[in-house]
Amino acid sequence: MKMITAYIRHEAFEPIRAELLERGIPSLSITEVKGSGRQKGIVEHYRGSTLTVNVRPKLKLEVVVEDKDKSLVVETILKHARTGDVGDGKIFVIPVEEAIRNRTGEEGEDVPQAHPEEEIPA
């Protein structure tokens, strides 16, 4: 299994989520984060003052999939997150040694994905 961690712009999330769902990858986690990279500080003007913002808001997207689905997920993220501008973010692919579902104690390759009979509570 692989964990794909991607730092993306907020506007890229919904197209990524929709395409992954359409392609059979419904399970993912997102976290709002702030960080800095090559873009360094951005100078903004607010109410007559100059302000340098050293960190920019991003979304951290985490998806754990079987090895065979890694390329599909990475390609989907790149398709929607790449603008060619500084600040597009990064993607990291990390091996996952083990996954265990809390509710059932189930282990192995099926754990990252939701079971067809499971519904997400509203």
Side-chain angles (χ1 to χ4, degrees):
M1 289 181 285
K2 302 287 186 210
M3 175 183 282
I4 296 130
T5 301
Y7 294 89
I8 60 172
R9 298 175 193 261
H10 282 72
E11 61 269 18
F13 172 68
E14 190 52 38
I16 291 168
R17 186 204 61 79
E19 186 167 332
L20 289 176
L21 183 62
E22 182 181 297
R23 297 178 122 198
I25 313 264
S27 302
L28 54 85
S29 297
I30 61 166
T31 309
E32 291 195 52
V33 297
K34 291 183 179 185
S36 64
R38 289 187 176 171
Q39 76 267 24
K40 299 184 176 88
I42 305 277
V43 177
E44 295 181 355
H45 301 283
Y46 180 72
R47 295 188 177 189
S49 297
T50 300
L51 178 67
T52 301
V53 179
N54 293 313
V55 293
R56 304 294 295 167
K58 298 284 184 206
L59 287 179
K60 179 181 178 184
L61 174 66
E62 296 175 302
V63 185
V64 178
V65 294
E66 295 178 40
D67 290 350
K68 68 179 180 63
D69 293 326
K70 179 204 64 119
S71 294
L72 180 143
V73 173
V74 169
E75 289 167 11
T76 300
I77 293 169
L78 286 172
K79 175 180 172 182
H80 297 289
R82 182 187 288 160
T83 67
D85 296 331
V86 172
D88 278 350
K90 295 230 177 3
I91 300 172
F92 300 96
V93 179
I94 304 155
V96 174
E97 289 185 30
E98 190 173 7
I100 303 163
R101 188 180 310 276
N102 288 344
R103 181 175 50 87
T104 63
E106 177 181 15
E107 299 181 32
E109 295 285 326
D110 293 332
V111 174
Q113 300 300 320
H115 287 287
E117 70 277 2
E118 287 182 349
E119 287 189 25
I120 299 171

